[in-house]
Amino acid sequence: MTQPIHVLIVDDIRNNITALEASLARPDLSVLKAESGPAALELLLKHDVALAILDVNMPGMDGFELAELMRGSPRTAHVPIIFLTATAQDGSRTFRGYEAGAVDFLYKPFDSRILNSKVDVFIQMERQKQQLATQLATVQQLLDANEMLMAVLGHDLRTPLSAVIASAEYLARFVQDENVANIGTRIKSSGMRMVRMVDQLLNLARLRGGRVTLQPRPVELMTLAKNIVDEYEARVGKGRIFVLRQGDTVLQGDGDLLSQVFSNLIGNALQHGLEGSAIQVRLDGNAEHVSITVQNAGEIPADVLPTIFAPYRSGRRQNESSGLGLGLYITREIAQMHGGDVKARSTAEAGTVFEVTLPREPHPRSGERADTAQPFRLS
């Protein structure tokens, strides 16, 4: 059911209020009545109004003073005001009314049809605002439910996956039969890929739900890069990933999120680059910004490159993808949260290059913030 829309009428003459109320009568409209400025302010503290119709000439607090008080309060500063006055038309008074924040200034006697048409505009605007607020609340509830579902799903999946991976590792390391050991290796690889998928789904839910906030602090990108490279070298062996640095690579940023940038880009290069080819990670801090470049052999198909950062895409065609294709999307989101960006280029001769550009100081996007509160962290 739709909520009634409130219109405030303020006039020191009760008969004027009665006449206005009768003129504005309609099922979806609730008229609030006040015979003085202080009484009107008391009503404004209790109700949200779509429009205020104020008489100018009132004893004590006149309409202009009431309007100025309304404009000075965050709660009522947005309320549209229409002034009504029985005095002769005066350009200076009209100007003062608009200066006080009025959207219109009418002189008595007025045509009730004109007033009603003006009121209808503000009623429609208020109704649209209510609908948008309802839609926003519904969307937020869906986002919260989606994140809760993903968190529960992730937790419930990790437990059996851990048992599968541990059993597969036992088969691969301790069973003498080579065929069984190979099966164990494949099971472990598939299990690890499922773990990464779960993590990416959780990250996507948190990013889209606005649950990730920056915690900027001084970060040495070279240290982050080496830590991620060490983790991957424990899986794929040494000698494939090379890290090069130029200039000052210290910036203000969220170290945990930026570590994920390195992890996603290097993991993408290992997964989609030519088998056994070298991967080069270059850090350049010679400019006002810092850039991270990850290059590997292998070309991204021309029809895939334009949508490479879209969610649920990857560096291969859809029927060739071995994952959810969320890593690059999350990488771009993290870069843009810092006020930076990421670009990709790929040719048969130079291979595939992803370049992330980050400012020395984070510049969160509109609607985002960087704070010191404990946020939901990306897994």
Side-chain angles (χ1 to χ4, degrees), residues 8 52 74 83 90 95 101 104 154 169 177 187-188 217 257-258 272 304-305 311 317 331 338 350 354 358 378:
L8 174 65
F83 279 120
D90 184 344
F95 177 77
D104 210 341
E169 187 170 5
D177 189 310
I187 294 174
K188 179 183 177 182
R217 60 184 183 275
L257 297 181
L258 293 176
H272 298 295
V304 174
L305 193 59
R317 291 183 175 87
T331 295
H338 283 79
F354 287 93
L358 299 169
L378 292 180

Side-chain angles (χ1 to χ4, degrees), residues 21-239:
E21 184 179 14
S23 176
L24 298 176
R26 64 195 71 183
D28 61 343
L29 191 64
S30 172
V31 177
L32 305 176
K33 297 161 284 187
E35 297 182 15
S36 67
L41 292 175
E42 186 175 345
L43 287 173
L44 289 168
L45 289 175
K46 299 177 181 177
H47 305 279
D48 292 324
V49 301
L51 175 67
I53 302 175
L54 311 183
D55 181 36
V56 174
N57 298 313
M58 294 186 294
M61 182 187 299
D62 65 19
F64 295 137
E65 293 171 328
L66 174 58
E68 289 171 357
L69 288 173
M70 290 174 61
R71 287 290 172 262
S73 170
R75 176 176 171 82
T76 56
H78 67 283
V79 175
I81 296 172
I82 294 178
F83 279 120
L84 292 179
T85 181
T87 60
Q89 293 196 23
D90 184 344
S92 62
R93 289 173 65 82
T94 302
F95 177 77
R96 185 183 175 190
Y98 288 119
E99 193 176 44
V103 297
D104 210 341
F105 199 106
L106 300 180
Y107 289 88
K108 302 175 183 178
F110 56 86
D111 190 326
S112 61
R113 294 172 298 177
I114 294 176
L115 178 62
N116 271 280
S117 66
K118 294 178 183 293
V119 171
D120 284 341
V121 172
F122 296 105
I123 290 176
Q124 293 173 12
M125 291 174 59
E126 181 67 18
R127 185 66 69 202
Q128 291 172 356
K129 187 172 75 172
Q130 290 179 357
Q131 291 173 351
L132 287 173
T134 301
Q135 292 171 2
L136 180 61
T138 302
V139 169
Q140 188 59 54
Q141 289 174 356
L142 290 173
L143 287 172
D144 291 342
N146 179 61
E147 183 176 344
M148 182 178 297
L149 174 63
M150 295 308 304
V152 172
L153 179 63
H155 178 271
D156 290 347
L157 278 177
R158 278 193 176 94
T159 301
L161 276 175
S162 297
V164 169
I165 292 171
S167 300
E169 187 170 5
Y170 176 85
L171 293 176
R173 293 180 60 183
F174 300 109
V175 174
Q176 300 300 320
D177 189 310
E178 184 176 352
N179 290 331
V180 175
N182 290 336
I183 292 173
T185 300
R186 288 198 298 271
I187 294 174
K188 179 183 177 182
S189 176
S190 298
M192 294 299 296
R193 190 164 71 251
M194 290 179 68
V195 169
R196 290 193 296 272
M197 290 179 183
V198 171
D199 289 341
Q200 287 183 347
L201 286 172
L202 287 172
N203 294 343
L204 179 67
R206 290 167 181 170
L207 283 169
R208 288 190 164 179
R211 301 297 191 182
V212 180
T213 55
L214 293 180
Q215 288 190 306
R217 60 184 183 275
V219 175
E220 170 56 81
L221 293 181
M222 186 65 176
T223 302
L224 299 184
K226 285 184 174 179
N227 290 340
I228 299 301
V229 169
D230 289 342
E231 293 178 8
Y232 275 108
E233 285 184 337
R235 306 178 203 172
V236 302
K238 295 183 179 295

Side-chain angles (χ1 to χ4, degrees), residues 277-295:
S277 62
I279 297 168
Q280 191 174 91
V281 181
R282 297 192 300 273
L283 309 176
D284 190 344
N286 286 323
E288 293 182 358
H289 59 268
V290 182
S291 65
I292 302 168
T293 304
V294 178
Q295 183 174 9

